Amino acid sequence: MRVMIPAKYRDVVAHLRDGSGILYRLKEYDDHYELEVLTSLSFDRIALGLTERKLGRFYRDVEVVGGSKKKGRDHIVFEPKRPFKVTIRFAEGELSLIKDAARKKGATLAEFIRFHAVDGAFELARGERHGIG
Amino acid sequence: MELDEIIGEDGLKIAFLKKYASVAEALKARGFVVREEGERFIALSPTSYAISRTQARLSPLDFLEFFKTMEVWNGFKKLEAEHEVIHVEPKRPLIMHFRVSASERRLVEFAAKQYLLDLSEYIRMCVTENAVEAFIRARKQKETGLV
């Protein structure tokens, strides 16, 4: 998924440089910035130093290629398109535990599984910092 | 929810003779539910696990005999690492699907490769580990009266 940010949001992009490298790659062009994002990503209004109105404008102006954007009051969530289906087998006890943990987190079963699979891999990749295409 | 309820009647169970009390102790110390039924111990688990010979505090011959005499319900047993480790796996009849993006798939495939696991084994390991940790955390909070 690629998030295109117009060049006028230079100040916002300055806040994004911290996560750059592994969670997303930031590329600079003449008229826009491009974030190449690995997985779903959330932008927090306060962390980006935006007012509610500016967040609304920012939301309107960013374009997403290969995914979608969704706006809450204080955040914007970018979700990649997910065309690949992964199948896993579980024992009843395993699935009961996972369902219980997902319910406590307020997540669906698929969200919980995807989050922990990707998060675990992400932590490992952060340690390695190489080898991911 | 208690662990017995989570594991259910169809859950992974092993039964072994009472002379292997050191194995029962080792499993109890790891948080397993271990019951006494007649001449045997019954240990319950929601997921796969390994018992090493050193944890079991048994000689190589006794460990082999323990492996041969233990019974596994709703799963199977394997002797690995030159007869030093017993691996117990549950049957996994439930199929679950979820969707990922191309980069999420590459990321998870990369991680699975690092652990020398296939994609589904790796995902199951990550997710089950987190769910077990969440369960243990919740149980400890309940015990200490934090919830």
Side-chain angles (χ1 to χ4, degrees), chain A residues 52-81:
Chain A
E52 277 183 43
R53 187 181 287 186
K54 279 184 181 167
L55 185 77
R57 264 188 242 141
F58 180 72
Y59 173 75
R60 191 194 56 204
D61 291 344
V62 293
E63 278 178 43
V64 185
V65 179
S68 60
K69 55 182 179 179
K70 215 162 58 180
K71 187 181 166 295
R73 190 182 159 151
D74 286 320
H75 61 268
I76 299 172
V77 178
F78 300 99
E79 291 278 349
K81 277 184 191 158

Side-chain angles (χ1 to χ4, degrees), chain B residues 6-145:
Chain B
I6 286 173
I7 296 165
E9 276 309 300
D10 304 331
L12 179 62
K13 291 175 196 169
I14 63 166
F16 52 94
L17 296 170
K18 276 208 171 145
K19 67 175 177 174
Y20 300 112
S22 60
V23 180
E25 276 169 35
L27 291 175
K28 275 182 198 166
R30 286 166 62 186
F32 282 73
V33 175
V34 182
R35 294 187 196 132
E36 288 182 38
E37 276 183 27
E39 292 304 303
R40 297 189 300 182
F41 286 111
I42 311 280
L44 292 82
S45 169
T47 187
S48 56
Y49 58 97
I51 308 165
S52 71
R53 191 178 65 77
T54 39
Q55 276 173 342
R57 285 184 279 134
L58 294 172
S59 69
L61 216 60
D62 287 342
F63 193 61
L64 203 60
E65 196 196 311
F66 167 71
F67 174 76
K68 281 181 184 164
T69 55
M70 74 185 265
E71 271 183 61
V72 182
W73 297 322
N74 306 314
F76 54 90
K77 58 183 178 179
K78 269 188 296 191
L79 197 55
E80 293 174 337
E82 295 179 349
H83 298 184
E84 286 292 313
V85 176
I86 296 168
H87 202 90
V88 186
E89 287 271 344
K91 282 183 190 159
R92 295 192 166 104
L94 304 172
I95 295 168
M96 170 74 205
H97 307 287
F98 71 102
R99 306 189 78 88
V100 289
S101 69
S103 52
E104 286 169 340
R105 191 171 74 165
R106 275 200 300 274
L107 183 64
V108 178
E109 276 172 352
F110 160 79
K113 221 187 226 176
Q114 304 301 304
Y115 281 97
L116 307 175
L117 296 173
D118 69 35
L119 193 67
S120 60
E121 281 172 334
Y122 173 74
I123 294 170
R124 191 167 46 238
M125 178 189 82
C126 283
V127 178
T128 311
E129 223 170 63
N130 272 285
V132 169
E133 278 170 17
F135 178 81
I136 292 169
R137 215 170 27 245
R139 195 166 63 174
K140 276 186 183 159
Q141 282 174 343
K142 205 171 154 188
E143 279 167 9
T144 51

